[in-house]
Amino acid sequence: MYGGIRLFTGTSTPELAGGIAEYLNLPLCERDIIRFPNDNIFVKLHASVRGQDCFVIQTTSIPVHYNLMELLILIQTLRLDSAARITAVIPYLCYMRSDKKDQPRVPITARLVCDMIEAAGADRYMTLDLHSPQIQGFFSIPGDVLYAYHVLIDDMMELKKEMKDPVMVSPDLGFAKKARNYATTLNLPLSFIEKRRPSNDPTSQALTLIGDVDGRDCIILDEEISTGTTMATAVNVIKEHGAREITMFFVHPVLSPNAAEELVKLPVKQFVTTDTIPIPQEKKDIFGDRLKIISVASLLGEVIRRANQGRSVGEMFNE
Ligand code: R5P
């Protein structure tokens, strides 16, 4: 349908991009990305992409605005060089939490971000674990929204074998539906915490634990950790209710400043996450051997292959 796969990457996630390239046994295409003294970004491709099927791998984590702009400029560069098709591969999509007007006089920034990606020239997008499924509707181009479930579930299966009276815990109601999918596959009961954010500052307040964690080993799971407040509050609540050993899973390791320092103080045996966002070495050192990172490279690589071949992605997951 299209020409061969051409993999491009910005500067935000070199290791994951390398893993995807390795999975596909393809090189990352050469390009220059220069940040001028005035903070403007310049991109130049080393070879023509005319008629090719181009994939731009760029996560939009901190520094969010730089990484987003790099993604947009890369897409526009490919568009202007007559690529046949451009897919924005965005392992972590920024501004996902701004997905509705939940108070007067506020923006819906996730919509703005999706509009910008389309305006730059993307024909398709690919991402993982959106904050809410409705964000798919902010794009009018087709896309593949994937789930880290497919790479995390095996690890949870193994973990479950060693756990005593295991239970799955969702740290808030927003994540409860997804947590239910994990719990169903693992055949575990689900507990969840009703959480409310009283203001726009990152503090959160856990109100009620629904379910039973007393004397049980817990898997607590969320789609992202930013400040760590949600998880810390949830861990404290389940500990107060008698939880035994706790293992924490999270898909997107946003890990804002001080989050790692705060998380390691928690009574958590292991922290398991993915590489949708690279974790700097100094933060890895804070976690030490309590941190485990599971790569999404083969998941993204296989979906890229199928997108290029015009094959079903759903059949990968027996859907
Ligand atoms: C929010 O609803 C998400 O599911 C996460 O709970 C949230 O993004 C975590 O943020 P923080 O780590 O700052 O509490």
Side-chain angles (χ1 to χ4, degrees), residues 97 131 172 195 197 202 222-230:
R97 285 159 68 182
H131 176 61
D172 63 21
K195 176 192 86 173
R197 283 192 193 278
D222 204 352
E223 93 235 339
E224 73 170 59
I225 291 187
S226 174
T227 62
T229 314
T230 302

Side-chain angles (χ1 to χ4, degrees), residues 27-290:
L28 290 167
C29 295
E30 303 271 336
R31 84 296 183 256
D32 294 328
I33 298 179
I34 299 168
R35 193 170 182 172
F36 287 132
N38 64 0
D39 220 21
N40 288 191
I41 301 166
F42 173 78
V43 168
K44 181 172 170 57
L45 312 180
H46 286 202
S48 168
V49 294
R50 189 179 294 268
Q52 303 299 307
D53 195 10
C54 297
F55 294 83
V56 185
I57 305 160
Q58 175 82 333
T59 208
T60 50
S61 55
I62 299 168
V64 172
H65 303 120
Y66 179 83
N67 287 336
L68 178 62
M69 218 40 223
E70 223 183 61
L71 170 70
L72 299 174
I73 295 171
L74 274 161
I75 292 170
Q76 198 217 30
T77 309
L78 295 166
R79 173 58 63 224
L80 295 180
D81 197 45
S82 305
R85 186 172 70 164
I86 302 162
T87 303
V89 181
I90 313 164
Y92 172 75
L93 185 63
C94 60
Y95 282 105
M96 283 192 290
R97 285 159 68 182
S98 175
D99 62 351
K100 57 186 158 309
K101 285 195 71 165
D102 53 3
Q103 47 185 302
R105 302 177 296 282
V106 296
I108 304 178
T109 316
R111 170 64 199 257
L112 175 64
V113 168
C114 297
D115 283 346
M116 289 196 292
I117 292 165
E118 280 189 51
D123 299 294
R124 302 183 75 260
Y125 70 96
M126 200 178 284
T127 189
L128 275 121
D129 285 271
L130 292 171
H131 176 61
S132 61
Q134 295 87 328
I135 295 171
Q136 293 170 34
F138 296 173
F139 284 104
S140 47
I141 51 176
D144 293 298
V145 178
L146 308 170
Y147 298 95
Y149 167 96
H150 299 287
V151 298
L152 297 180
I153 200 77
D154 289 346
D155 205 71
M156 290 184 187
M157 292 275 192
E158 281 307 304
L159 179 65
K160 184 190 162 188
K161 292 179 191 163
E162 305 157 10
M163 291 172 77
K164 179 172 173 280
D165 289 336
V167 59
M168 174 75 60
V169 180
S170 173
D172 63 21
L173 293 178
F175 194 74
K177 202 170 164 194
K178 268 195 195 170
R180 168 65 70 200
N181 295 339
Y182 283 84
T184 302
T185 307
L186 295 164
N187 195 21
L188 293 184
L190 176 66
S191 293
F192 38 93
I193 290 164
E194 188 209 8
K195 176 192 86 173
R196 249 178 237 161
R197 283 192 193 278
S199 68
N200 289 328
D201 79 30
T203 56
S204 69
Q205 190 183 356
L207 296 178
T208 322
L209 171 70
I210 303 162
D212 179 23
V213 295
D214 193 17
R216 290 168 172 267
D217 287 345
C218 300
I219 294 178
I220 187 163
L221 169 71
D222 204 352
E223 93 235 339
E224 73 170 59
I225 291 187
S226 174
T227 62
T229 314
T230 302
M231 279 297 208
T233 317
V235 165
N236 290 333
V237 168
I238 60 175
K239 265 291 171 195
E240 279 163 22
H241 285 78
R244 274 169 36 93
E245 225 163 59
I246 301 172
T247 306
M248 185 179 288
F249 283 75
F250 49 106
V251 175
H252 302 299
V254 177
L255 299 178
S256 310
N258 294 326
E261 288 84 344
E262 291 305 315
L263 287 165
V264 293
K265 292 180 194 160
L266 297 172
V268 168
K269 190 179 151 204
Q270 196 170 37
F271 299 89
V272 187
T273 188
T274 77
D275 54 359
T276 59
I277 297 171
I279 304 180
Q281 190 55 49
E282 58 275 17
K283 285 191 185 166
K284 288 185 183 164
D285 292 343
I286 294 171
F287 285 104
D289 58 10
R290 286 162 78 196

